[in-house]
Amino acid sequence: MRDFNFYLEQIGEIGFIEEVVHSLVYSSGLPSAHPNEVVVFETGDVGQVFSLTKEHVEILLFSNNQLRVGSKVARCGQTLEVPVGTGLLGRSIDPLGNPLDSRALKDIRFSPIEVAPPRITSRRQVTKPLPTGVTLVDLVVPLAMGQRQLVIGDRKTGKTEFLLQTIMTQTKLGTVCIYAVIGQKQTDIKKLSEFLEAEKVIENTVVVASDSSSSSGQIYLTPYTAMTIAEFFRDIGKDVLLILDDMTTHAKTYREISLLAKRFPGRSSYPGDIFYIHARLFERAGNFKKGSITLLPVAESLLGDLSGYIQTNLMAMTDGHIFFDIDLYNQGKRPAVNPFLSVTRVGHQTQTPLERDVSRELLSFLVTYERMKQFLHFGAEVGDFARNILGLGSRIDSFFNQKPEVTIPINANILILSGLWAGIWNETKINELTREIEKIVLAYQTEDLFRKQVDEIISRTTSFSDLVTNLRRNKEIITNKLS
Amino acid sequence: MLNLESTLIYTVILLIVALILLLIAVVVGYLRLINKYLALKQGGDEQIDPKVLLAQAQAKSQKILEDAYSESKKIMAKSQEFLVREEGEIAKELGKTTQTYLNVYSKTLDDINTNSTKVVQALPNEIKTFVVTAIDDFRLSLSQEVAKVANQTSQALKEGYIKAQQEVEAYKKERLRQIDEQALKLIQEVTRKVLGKEISLEEHEKLVLKALEEAKRQGIL
Amino acid sequence: MYSTFLSKIRTKEDIQKLINEIEVILQSLYQKQGVESVLKAQVRAWVSQALEEDWKSAPNKEEYLIRLKEVLNGLKPLSLTISFEPTELSLEKLSYFVKQNLGGNIYLDINYDPRLLAGAIIVYQGRYLDMSLKKAYEAEFERSKVEIIKLLEKTHERL
């Protein structure tokens, strides 16, 4: 990005600002401007051509400075490009590519933001699972590499904690994680980068951040910048986890820009192309020949209403959603994932036959458990069968409760669940149970021999009932670790 | 009717007898009472002299006091004797002990005297030797320190001089650079102004027309 | 029809002056004093002459004046930033050149910037061309800077 005079000389076209409306600037001149072209002002501010009319060029500003009517504008002859490269790992940048900690960026090149999504022939079937480290998600709503999964819920229901757990699990497996913070508070952005540094995962992470005081243009750009960076890492063969937090703010910002530009308002005053704005971004993620981009966009719902405009739009563009229920959160469940309303459309095809079996059994059990709990409300008498189900259900509930700093590998989850099914903990109290589960997880994570044994058992077994029977017969596999 | 009359007579006789007895009893009682009263009266007559009793009591008490006083005097006289005797003995003993202590004390004092005089006489010599050696040592170390300090100061001066020289050099360079910059700027400004003045109106016009033609050539106009 | 006016228009100031005069005439059309006195006293001679000529063929004066104003407002500017104050003659020459090559619907928007030294910066319909001496001069100066620095260093050695 050179300075104003350079572009003025080179291109030989000039414009004069006629009107300034918040983040939109109308200028005369610039006869050969084309849409999405970058323009630079006399003051050094940067903008992008938003649309063209007969008399004016409508420019979206990328800075908060007040521009004066009559100032000169020059066009740069190219579309917006952002820096991409391995030099971005461990850094936080703003949507235009400027580092937030004022140290220069190294090992980077520039790549255009607006890219057509890859065609069908360059895509591949989703085959690899994406372990998140969160028991409930890995067992009931599993994710896969290259999937686009919407994370939706009310505010303050634990969505960000879940995403950070996923980052912690994935960085250990070598995935590059890109976290795009769209229009949030500066304190939240600071807390995020401090958390990533404390957990020592910052070296494999890139943070693209625009805070709520940035200009609308910058907030609008943030997810596109993040996707461009993700595409670079995909092209060098890496698996990328891209998190966009959150898309409802992005939609609101785009609505603000469109209404200022006097575009005709549609449903809820959103512009008519709000679906296209998000869909063309989401379509750039997926599983490809060289690498994959797993996209986890976040959406905020109001009072658990999944039928909002933006929410339904986003659900239509993604391969499933994980719903964080405010009722479950208020009941104390963490993570507050509602397994009945959450969907994964491509996660199950990446699971092993055993994992699929576990998933199916678990979900149908959870349905039965819910029904039993309803019977309790009616004050019906509790027979043996119902009592067993309620007991196992409450144990599974406490097993699903997971602290935000804990991540559990999937085989450990399957082992513990099979143990619960086999009745090993039928006589244990709930708080004892939590402690014993922690012991097993610790043993799995730290003892190589135990881990190999468990992995071997699980890889040999193909059905859940076989595994349960095996554990019923050889309870000492688990009980040995509890003493 | 005869019985009735006889019983009646008998009861009347009984009653009269009873009454007479009662009367006798009353009289007897009354006489007794009189006797008691007379006896008490006599006793009261005797009590009419309290002063006599008092005098009697006084005399008795005085006698007791006098006896007590004489006894005590006797005891005191005895104790006084005892005291005087004992005092004499104590004084004697005290004198003896003090005399012995005095002797011992004066003896030790004499001993100390002689010893201290001996020590004091020996002291100057010792002091002299000690002081002399100390002075010699001190002189030596002093000369060494002086030599060291002289060295250090000369070194520091040399370094300081070199540093100062370097600083002067650096300052000179910097100043010259600044002057160069200013000179350059001046040259720029002057040539600019000269050029501006040098160009005549016709030349200006010509140049502008040339610019317009160039613009036309490039297709801008 | 408006050819007299258009041929006399050279710069932005000309247009502004003319428009002001037209405003005064328009107002006077419905005032007591009448157009004649205004034409004699408050308008330039050639303007009143040209108006009287044209009014012979266009009887509706108001419509004529309003259209004239529209035409004047619709003229396109050619922005010229030059480094000298032009005389009448210079203006004539420049205006003539422009009218010859671009037609009569153009006026000159002349700005004065002495830093340009010579030449002009031309802006027309969004196109920009810097043909000033400033650019050439600065390029030259960069080249000769090296020699000047060498000279200065020689003086250092003498110091």
PDB file of all heavy atoms in Angstrom, chain A residues 448-479:
ATOM      1  N   ASP A 448       1.068 -44.481  29.356  1.00  0.00           N
ATOM      2  CA  ASP A 448       1.104 -44.994  27.977  1.00  0.00           C
ATOM      3  C   ASP A 448       0.514 -46.378  27.862  1.00  0.00           C
ATOM      4  O   ASP A 448      -0.230 -46.682  26.928  1.00  0.00           O
ATOM      5  CB  ASP A 448       2.558 -45.027  27.476  1.00  0.00           C
ATOM      6  CG  ASP A 448       3.042 -43.655  27.085  1.00  0.00           C
ATOM      7  OD1 ASP A 448       2.184 -42.821  26.745  1.00  0.00           O
ATOM      8  OD2 ASP A 448       4.256 -43.426  27.130  1.00  0.00           O
ATOM      9  N   LEU A 449       0.842 -47.226  28.836  1.00  0.00           N
ATOM     10  CA  LEU A 449       0.404 -48.623  28.768  1.00  0.00           C
ATOM     11  C   LEU A 449      -1.119 -48.712  28.801  1.00  0.00           C
ATOM     12  O   LEU A 449      -1.740 -49.421  28.000  1.00  0.00           O
ATOM     13  CB  LEU A 449       1.006 -49.384  29.965  1.00  0.00           C
ATOM     14  CG  LEU A 449       1.351 -50.855  29.707  1.00  0.00           C
ATOM     15  CD1 LEU A 449       2.362 -50.950  28.582  1.00  0.00           C
ATOM     16  CD2 LEU A 449       1.939 -51.474  30.973  1.00  0.00           C
ATOM     17  N   PHE A 450      -1.701 -47.991  29.752  1.00  0.00           N
ATOM     18  CA  PHE A 450      -3.157 -48.008  29.886  1.00  0.00           C
ATOM     19  C   PHE A 450      -3.802 -47.498  28.617  1.00  0.00           C
ATOM     20  O   PHE A 450      -4.782 -48.052  28.103  1.00  0.00           O
ATOM     21  CB  PHE A 450      -3.558 -47.148  31.103  1.00  0.00           C
ATOM     22  CG  PHE A 450      -5.037 -47.101  31.339  1.00  0.00           C
ATOM     23  CD1 PHE A 450      -5.766 -48.266  31.556  1.00  0.00           C
ATOM     24  CD2 PHE A 450      -5.725 -45.897  31.357  1.00  0.00           C
ATOM     25  CE1 PHE A 450      -7.124 -48.232  31.782  1.00  0.00           C
ATOM     26  CE2 PHE A 450      -7.078 -45.851  31.593  1.00  0.00           C
ATOM     27  CZ  PHE A 450      -7.789 -47.015  31.802  1.00  0.00           C
ATOM     28  N   ARG A 451      -3.214 -46.414  28.063  1.00  0.00           N
ATOM     29  CA  ARG A 451      -3.794 -45.828  26.865  1.00  0.00           C
ATOM     30  C   ARG A 451      -3.734 -46.832  25.715  1.00  0.00           C
ATOM     31  O   ARG A 451      -4.698 -47.012  24.973  1.00  0.00           O
ATOM     32  CB  ARG A 451      -3.049 -44.550  26.487  1.00  0.00           C
ATOM     33  CG  ARG A 451      -3.656 -43.904  25.242  1.00  0.00           C
ATOM     34  CD  ARG A 451      -3.118 -42.530  24.901  1.00  0.00           C
ATOM     35  NE  ARG A 451      -1.682 -42.460  24.846  1.00  0.00           N
ATOM     36  CZ  ARG A 451      -0.960 -41.703  25.674  1.00  0.00           C
ATOM     37  NH1 ARG A 451      -1.554 -40.976  26.575  1.00  0.00           N
ATOM     38  NH2 ARG A 451       0.350 -41.684  25.592  1.00  0.00           N
ATOM     39  N   LYS A 452      -2.594 -47.495  25.598  1.00  0.00           N
ATOM     40  CA  LYS A 452      -2.481 -48.476  24.505  1.00  0.00           C
ATOM     41  C   LYS A 452      -3.511 -49.585  24.676  1.00  0.00           C
ATOM     42  O   LYS A 452      -4.170 -50.011  23.710  1.00  0.00           O
ATOM     43  CB  LYS A 452      -1.072 -49.091  24.497  1.00  0.00           C
ATOM     44  CG  LYS A 452      -0.045 -48.250  23.820  1.00  0.00           C
ATOM     45  CD  LYS A 452       1.078 -49.124  23.237  1.00  0.00           C
ATOM     46  CE  LYS A 452       2.227 -48.251  22.744  1.00  0.00           C
ATOM     47  NZ  LYS A 452       3.159 -47.863  23.809  1.00  0.00           N
ATOM     48  N   GLN A 453      -3.666 -50.021  25.945  1.00  0.00           N
ATOM     49  CA  GLN A 453      -4.623 -51.104  26.205  1.00  0.00           C
ATOM     50  C   GLN A 453      -6.032 -50.681  25.802  1.00  0.00           C
ATOM     51  O   GLN A 453      -6.744 -51.398  25.086  1.00  0.00           O
ATOM     52  CB  GLN A 453      -4.558 -51.448  27.703  1.00  0.00           C
ATOM     53  CG  GLN A 453      -5.402 -52.615  28.095  1.00  0.00           C
ATOM     54  CD  GLN A 453      -5.466 -52.735  29.626  1.00  0.00           C
ATOM     55  OE1 GLN A 453      -5.215 -51.782  30.349  1.00  0.00           O
ATOM     56  NE2 GLN A 453      -5.824 -53.898  30.097  1.00  0.00           N
ATOM     57  N   VAL A 454      -6.412 -49.496  26.257  1.00  0.00           N
ATOM     58  CA  VAL A 454      -7.774 -49.021  25.960  1.00  0.00           C
ATOM     59  C   VAL A 454      -7.957 -48.860  24.458  1.00  0.00           C
ATOM     60  O   VAL A 454      -8.981 -49.271  23.883  1.00  0.00           O
ATOM     61  CB  VAL A 454      -8.020 -47.680  26.706  1.00  0.00           C
ATOM     62  CG1 VAL A 454      -9.297 -47.053  26.238  1.00  0.00           C
ATOM     63  CG2 VAL A 454      -8.044 -47.902  28.187  1.00  0.00           C
ATOM     64  N   ASP A 455      -6.961 -48.220  23.801  1.00  0.00           N
ATOM     65  CA  ASP A 455      -7.075 -48.007  22.354  1.00  0.00           C
ATOM     66  C   ASP A 455      -7.232 -49.326  21.624  1.00  0.00           C
ATOM     67  O   ASP A 455      -8.020 -49.449  20.672  1.00  0.00           O
ATOM     68  CB  ASP A 455      -5.834 -47.269  21.830  1.00  0.00           C
ATOM     69  CG  ASP A 455      -5.815 -45.813  22.246  1.00  0.00           C
ATOM     70  OD1 ASP A 455      -6.874 -45.315  22.685  1.00  0.00           O
ATOM     71  OD2 ASP A 455      -4.751 -45.173  22.143  1.00  0.00           O
ATOM     72  N   GLU A 456      -6.484 -50.319  22.118  1.00  0.00           N
ATOM     73  CA  GLU A 456      -6.539 -51.610  21.436  1.00  0.00           C
ATOM     74  C   GLU A 456      -7.912 -52.239  21.586  1.00  0.00           C
ATOM     75  O   GLU A 456      -8.494 -52.732  20.614  1.00  0.00           O
ATOM     76  CB  GLU A 456      -5.462 -52.535  22.029  1.00  0.00           C
ATOM     77  CG  GLU A 456      -4.911 -53.507  21.032  1.00  0.00           C
ATOM     78  CD  GLU A 456      -4.872 -54.907  21.619  1.00  0.00           C
ATOM     79  OE1 GLU A 456      -4.870 -55.027  22.853  1.00  0.00           O
ATOM     80  OE2 GLU A 456      -4.866 -55.852  20.824  1.00  0.00           O
ATOM     81  N   ILE A 457      -8.450 -52.186  22.824  1.00  0.00           N
ATOM     82  CA  ILE A 457      -9.780 -52.773  23.054  1.00  0.00           C
ATOM     83  C   ILE A 457     -10.801 -52.105  22.156  1.00  0.00           C
ATOM     84  O   ILE A 457     -11.625 -52.756  21.506  1.00  0.00           O
ATOM     85  CB  ILE A 457     -10.186 -52.615  24.532  1.00  0.00           C
ATOM     86  CG1 ILE A 457      -9.259 -53.403  25.429  1.00  0.00           C
ATOM     87  CG2 ILE A 457     -11.622 -53.051  24.737  1.00  0.00           C
ATOM     88  CD1 ILE A 457      -9.508 -53.165  26.894  1.00  0.00           C
ATOM     89  N   ILE A 458     -10.721 -50.762  22.107  1.00  0.00           N
ATOM     90  CA  ILE A 458     -11.743 -50.018  21.361  1.00  0.00           C
ATOM     91  C   ILE A 458     -11.609 -50.284  19.868  1.00  0.00           C
ATOM     92  O   ILE A 458     -12.609 -50.396  19.146  1.00  0.00           O
ATOM     93  CB  ILE A 458     -11.657 -48.531  21.728  1.00  0.00           C
ATOM     94  CG1 ILE A 458     -12.206 -48.332  23.141  1.00  0.00           C
ATOM     95  CG2 ILE A 458     -12.430 -47.680  20.736  1.00  0.00           C
ATOM     96  CD1 ILE A 458     -12.133 -46.928  23.635  1.00  0.00           C
ATOM     97  N   SER A 459     -10.399 -50.364  19.381  1.00  0.00           N
ATOM     98  CA  SER A 459     -10.259 -50.586  17.937  1.00  0.00           C
ATOM     99  C   SER A 459     -10.679 -51.999  17.557  1.00  0.00           C
ATOM    100  O   SER A 459     -11.123 -52.240  16.437  1.00  0.00           O
ATOM    101  CB  SER A 459      -8.826 -50.308  17.488  1.00  0.00           C
ATOM    102  OG  SER A 459      -7.949 -51.100  18.240  1.00  0.00           O
ATOM    103  N   ARG A 460     -10.584 -52.933  18.497  1.00  0.00           N
ATOM    104  CA  ARG A 460     -10.996 -54.300  18.178  1.00  0.00           C
ATOM    105  C   ARG A 460     -12.505 -54.446  18.151  1.00  0.00           C
ATOM    106  O   ARG A 460     -13.072 -55.211  17.384  1.00  0.00           O
ATOM    107  CB  ARG A 460     -10.426 -55.284  19.238  1.00  0.00           C
ATOM    108  CG  ARG A 460      -9.182 -56.003  18.762  1.00  0.00           C
ATOM    109  CD  ARG A 460      -8.767 -57.115  19.686  1.00  0.00           C
ATOM    110  NE  ARG A 460      -8.414 -56.657  21.020  1.00  0.00           N
ATOM    111  CZ  ARG A 460      -8.986 -57.111  22.144  1.00  0.00           C
ATOM    112  NH1 ARG A 460      -9.929 -58.014  22.083  1.00  0.00           N
ATOM    113  NH2 ARG A 460      -8.616 -56.637  23.325  1.00  0.00           N
ATOM    114  N   THR A 461     -13.193 -53.684  19.025  1.00  0.00           N
ATOM    115  CA  THR A 461     -14.640 -53.872  19.157  1.00  0.00           C
ATOM    116  C   THR A 461     -15.378 -53.091  18.076  1.00  0.00           C
ATOM    117  O   THR A 461     -14.969 -51.989  17.700  1.00  0.00           O
ATOM    118  CB  THR A 461     -15.111 -53.358  20.523  1.00  0.00           C
ATOM    119  OG1 THR A 461     -14.044 -53.481  21.439  1.00  0.00           O
ATOM    120  CG2 THR A 461     -16.312 -54.111  21.014  1.00  0.00           C
ATOM    121  N   THR A 462     -16.462 -53.680  17.575  1.00  0.00           N
ATOM    122  CA  THR A 462     -17.219 -52.982  16.530  1.00  0.00           C
ATOM    123  C   THR A 462     -18.618 -52.593  16.975  1.00  0.00           C
ATOM    124  O   THR A 462     -19.290 -51.857  16.267  1.00  0.00           O
ATOM    125  CB  THR A 462     -17.391 -53.861  15.270  1.00  0.00           C
ATOM    126  OG1 THR A 462     -17.866 -55.124  15.698  1.00  0.00           O
ATOM    127  CG2 THR A 462     -16.073 -54.011  14.540  1.00  0.00           C
ATOM    128  N   SER A 463     -19.060 -53.101  18.097  1.00  0.00           N
ATOM    129  CA  SER A 463     -20.390 -52.682  18.541  1.00  0.00           C
ATOM    130  C   SER A 463     -20.362 -52.337  20.013  1.00  0.00           C
ATOM    131  O   SER A 463     -19.536 -52.835  20.785  1.00  0.00           O
ATOM    132  CB  SER A 463     -21.429 -53.771  18.267  1.00  0.00           C
ATOM    133  OG  SER A 463     -21.561 -54.601  19.396  1.00  0.00           O
ATOM    134  N   PHE A 464     -21.265 -51.490  20.388  1.00  0.00           N
ATOM    135  CA  PHE A 464     -21.295 -50.958  21.744  1.00  0.00           C
ATOM    136  C   PHE A 464     -21.636 -52.069  22.727  1.00  0.00           C
ATOM    137  O   PHE A 464     -21.036 -52.166  23.809  1.00  0.00           O
ATOM    138  CB  PHE A 464     -22.333 -49.831  21.798  1.00  0.00           C
ATOM    139  CG  PHE A 464     -22.353 -49.098  23.113  1.00  0.00           C
ATOM    140  CD1 PHE A 464     -21.179 -48.743  23.750  1.00  0.00           C
ATOM    141  CD2 PHE A 464     -23.551 -48.770  23.713  1.00  0.00           C
ATOM    142  CE1 PHE A 464     -21.193 -48.068  24.947  1.00  0.00           C
ATOM    143  CE2 PHE A 464     -23.578 -48.088  24.918  1.00  0.00           C
ATOM    144  CZ  PHE A 464     -22.407 -47.742  25.547  1.00  0.00           C
ATOM    145  N   SER A 465     -22.558 -52.934  22.367  1.00  0.00           N
ATOM    146  CA  SER A 465     -22.964 -53.964  23.324  1.00  0.00           C
ATOM    147  C   SER A 465     -21.809 -54.918  23.588  1.00  0.00           C
ATOM    148  O   SER A 465     -21.605 -55.367  24.728  1.00  0.00           O
ATOM    149  CB  SER A 465     -24.190 -54.726  22.812  1.00  0.00           C
ATOM    150  OG  SER A 465     -24.040 -54.961  21.441  1.00  0.00           O
ATOM    151  N   ASP A 466     -20.992 -55.184  22.550  1.00  0.00           N
ATOM    152  CA  ASP A 466     -19.817 -56.037  22.771  1.00  0.00           C
ATOM    153  C   ASP A 466     -18.884 -55.400  23.767  1.00  0.00           C
ATOM    154  O   ASP A 466     -18.356 -56.054  24.682  1.00  0.00           O
ATOM    155  CB  ASP A 466     -19.051 -56.240  21.445  1.00  0.00           C
ATOM    156  CG  ASP A 466     -19.790 -57.193  20.525  1.00  0.00           C
ATOM    157  OD1 ASP A 466     -20.691 -57.910  21.033  1.00  0.00           O
ATOM    158  OD2 ASP A 466     -19.473 -57.204  19.323  1.00  0.00           O
ATOM    159  N   LEU A 467     -18.659 -54.111  23.593  1.00  0.00           N
ATOM    160  CA  LEU A 467     -17.737 -53.412  24.490  1.00  0.00           C
ATOM    161  C   LEU A 467     -18.260 -53.451  25.917  1.00  0.00           C
ATOM    162  O   LEU A 467     -17.510 -53.673  26.882  1.00  0.00           O
ATOM    163  CB  LEU A 467     -17.565 -51.973  24.011  1.00  0.00           C
ATOM    164  CG  LEU A 467     -16.576 -51.112  24.798  1.00  0.00           C
ATOM    165  CD1 LEU A 467     -15.197 -51.720  24.775  1.00  0.00           C
ATOM    166  CD2 LEU A 467     -16.528 -49.707  24.224  1.00  0.00           C
ATOM    167  N   VAL A 468     -19.574 -53.246  26.061  1.00  0.00           N
ATOM    168  CA  VAL A 468     -20.148 -53.248  27.410  1.00  0.00           C
ATOM    169  C   VAL A 468     -20.009 -54.611  28.049  1.00  0.00           C
ATOM    170  O   VAL A 468     -19.631 -54.733  29.221  1.00  0.00           O
ATOM    171  CB  VAL A 468     -21.639 -52.819  27.338  1.00  0.00           C
ATOM    172  CG1 VAL A 468     -22.312 -53.030  28.671  1.00  0.00           C
ATOM    173  CG2 VAL A 468     -21.743 -51.361  26.951  1.00  0.00           C
ATOM    174  N   THR A 469     -20.291 -55.658  27.239  1.00  0.00           N
ATOM    175  CA  THR A 469     -20.157 -57.018  27.782  1.00  0.00           C
ATOM    176  C   THR A 469     -18.720 -57.287  28.195  1.00  0.00           C
ATOM    177  O   THR A 469     -18.452 -57.849  29.260  1.00  0.00           O
ATOM    178  CB  THR A 469     -20.588 -58.054  26.720  1.00  0.00           C
ATOM    179  OG1 THR A 469     -21.633 -57.496  25.944  1.00  0.00           O
ATOM    180  CG2 THR A 469     -21.036 -59.339  27.357  1.00  0.00           C
ATOM    181  N   ASN A 470     -17.782 -56.859  27.336  1.00  0.00           N
ATOM    182  CA  ASN A 470     -16.365 -57.044  27.630  1.00  0.00           C
ATOM    183  C   ASN A 470     -16.007 -56.392  28.960  1.00  0.00           C
ATOM    184  O   ASN A 470     -15.329 -56.990  29.801  1.00  0.00           O
ATOM    185  CB  ASN A 470     -15.547 -56.406  26.479  1.00  0.00           C
ATOM    186  CG  ASN A 470     -14.066 -56.692  26.623  1.00  0.00           C
ATOM    187  OD1 ASN A 470     -13.629 -57.326  27.586  1.00  0.00           O
ATOM    188  ND2 ASN A 470     -13.298 -56.254  25.653  1.00  0.00           N
ATOM    189  N   LEU A 471     -16.508 -55.173  29.157  1.00  0.00           N
ATOM    190  CA  LEU A 471     -16.166 -54.468  30.399  1.00  0.00           C
ATOM    191  C   LEU A 471     -16.843 -55.094  31.589  1.00  0.00           C
ATOM    192  O   LEU A 471     -16.297 -55.101  32.698  1.00  0.00           O
ATOM    193  CB  LEU A 471     -16.578 -52.995  30.291  1.00  0.00           C
ATOM    194  CG  LEU A 471     -15.529 -52.116  29.605  1.00  0.00           C
ATOM    195  CD1 LEU A 471     -16.021 -50.708  29.497  1.00  0.00           C
ATOM    196  CD2 LEU A 471     -14.230 -52.126  30.394  1.00  0.00           C
ATOM    197  N   ARG A 472     -18.066 -55.650  31.362  1.00  0.00           N
ATOM    198  CA  ARG A 472     -18.750 -56.298  32.494  1.00  0.00           C
ATOM    199  C   ARG A 472     -17.926 -57.475  32.980  1.00  0.00           C
ATOM    200  O   ARG A 472     -17.820 -57.720  34.177  1.00  0.00           O
ATOM    201  CB  ARG A 472     -20.147 -56.778  32.054  1.00  0.00           C
ATOM    202  CG  ARG A 472     -21.228 -55.925  32.646  1.00  0.00           C
ATOM    203  CD  ARG A 472     -22.584 -56.523  32.554  1.00  0.00           C
ATOM    204  NE  ARG A 472     -23.505 -55.414  32.262  1.00  0.00           N
ATOM    205  CZ  ARG A 472     -24.268 -55.333  31.197  1.00  0.00           C
ATOM    206  NH1 ARG A 472     -24.290 -56.304  30.316  1.00  0.00           N
ATOM    207  NH2 ARG A 472     -25.034 -54.287  31.004  1.00  0.00           N
ATOM    208  N   ARG A 473     -17.328 -58.163  31.983  1.00  0.00           N
ATOM    209  CA  ARG A 473     -16.547 -59.329  32.374  1.00  0.00           C
ATOM    210  C   ARG A 473     -15.212 -58.919  32.963  1.00  0.00           C
ATOM    211  O   ARG A 473     -14.703 -59.564  33.870  1.00  0.00           O
ATOM    212  CB  ARG A 473     -16.308 -60.227  31.148  1.00  0.00           C
ATOM    213  CG  ARG A 473     -17.475 -61.152  30.890  1.00  0.00           C
ATOM    214  CD  ARG A 473     -17.078 -62.246  29.932  1.00  0.00           C
ATOM    215  NE  ARG A 473     -18.153 -62.399  28.957  1.00  0.00           N
ATOM    216  CZ  ARG A 473     -18.002 -62.248  27.647  1.00  0.00           C
ATOM    217  NH1 ARG A 473     -16.827 -61.985  27.131  1.00  0.00           N
ATOM    218  NH2 ARG A 473     -19.039 -62.382  26.853  1.00  0.00           N
ATOM    219  N   ASN A 474     -14.597 -57.889  32.430  1.00  0.00           N
ATOM    220  CA  ASN A 474     -13.252 -57.502  32.892  1.00  0.00           C
ATOM    221  C   ASN A 474     -13.302 -56.140  33.541  1.00  0.00           C
ATOM    222  O   ASN A 474     -12.729 -55.168  33.047  1.00  0.00           O
ATOM    223  CB  ASN A 474     -12.283 -57.451  31.696  1.00  0.00           C
ATOM    224  CG  ASN A 474     -12.347 -58.723  30.891  1.00  0.00           C
ATOM    225  OD1 ASN A 474     -12.447 -59.803  31.440  1.00  0.00           O
ATOM    226  ND2 ASN A 474     -12.295 -58.588  29.584  1.00  0.00           N
ATOM    227  N   LYS A 475     -14.021 -56.093  34.666  1.00  0.00           N
ATOM    228  CA  LYS A 475     -14.196 -54.787  35.320  1.00  0.00           C
ATOM    229  C   LYS A 475     -12.870 -54.220  35.783  1.00  0.00           C
ATOM    230  O   LYS A 475     -12.731 -53.006  35.960  1.00  0.00           O
ATOM    231  CB  LYS A 475     -15.111 -54.935  36.547  1.00  0.00           C
ATOM    232  CG  LYS A 475     -16.557 -55.085  36.197  1.00  0.00           C
ATOM    233  CD  LYS A 475     -17.453 -54.836  37.392  1.00  0.00           C
ATOM    234  CE  LYS A 475     -18.868 -55.165  36.915  1.00  0.00           C
ATOM    235  NZ  LYS A 475     -19.799 -55.458  37.897  1.00  0.00           N
ATOM    236  N   GLU A 476     -11.870 -55.103  35.989  1.00  0.00           N
ATOM    237  CA  GLU A 476     -10.634 -54.593  36.595  1.00  0.00           C
ATOM    238  C   GLU A 476      -9.903 -53.624  35.671  1.00  0.00           C
ATOM    239  O   GLU A 476      -9.051 -52.868  36.126  1.00  0.00           O
ATOM    240  CB  GLU A 476      -9.697 -55.762  36.965  1.00  0.00           C
ATOM    241  CG  GLU A 476      -9.253 -56.609  35.799  1.00  0.00           C
ATOM    242  CD  GLU A 476     -10.314 -57.614  35.399  1.00  0.00           C
ATOM    243  OE1 GLU A 476     -11.344 -57.658  36.091  1.00  0.00           O
ATOM    244  OE2 GLU A 476     -10.136 -58.304  34.416  1.00  0.00           O
ATOM    245  N   ILE A 477     -10.232 -53.621  34.384  1.00  0.00           N
ATOM    246  CA  ILE A 477      -9.591 -52.648  33.489  1.00  0.00           C
ATOM    247  C   ILE A 477      -9.783 -51.247  34.044  1.00  0.00           C
ATOM    248  O   ILE A 477      -8.890 -50.410  34.017  1.00  0.00           O
ATOM    249  CB  ILE A 477     -10.196 -52.744  32.067  1.00  0.00           C
ATOM    250  CG1 ILE A 477      -9.936 -54.126  31.473  1.00  0.00           C
ATOM    251  CG2 ILE A 477      -9.607 -51.662  31.165  1.00  0.00           C
ATOM    252  CD1 ILE A 477     -10.599 -54.340  30.145  1.00  0.00           C
ATOM    253  N   ILE A 478     -11.021 -51.022  34.537  1.00  0.00           N
ATOM    254  CA  ILE A 478     -11.319 -49.698  35.066  1.00  0.00           C
ATOM    255  C   ILE A 478     -11.038 -49.629  36.555  1.00  0.00           C
ATOM    256  O   ILE A 478     -10.418 -48.673  37.038  1.00  0.00           O
ATOM    257  CB  ILE A 478     -12.790 -49.329  34.772  1.00  0.00           C
ATOM    258  CG1 ILE A 478     -12.965 -49.095  33.271  1.00  0.00           C
ATOM    259  CG2 ILE A 478     -13.205 -48.100  35.547  1.00  0.00           C
ATOM    260  CD1 ILE A 478     -14.344 -48.709  32.881  1.00  0.00           C
ATOM    261  N   THR A 479     -11.503 -50.668  37.276  1.00  0.00           N
ATOM    262  CA  THR A 479     -11.430 -50.573  38.744  1.00  0.00           C
ATOM    263  C   THR A 479      -9.991 -50.518  39.227  1.00  0.00           C
ATOM    264  O   THR A 479      -9.704 -49.950  40.275  1.00  0.00           O
ATOM    265  CB  THR A 479     -12.148 -51.765  39.402  1.00  0.00           C
ATOM    266  OG1 THR A 479     -11.670 -52.950  38.781  1.00  0.00           O
ATOM    267  CG2 THR A 479     -13.649 -51.651  39.220  1.00  0.00           C
TER     268      THR A 479
END
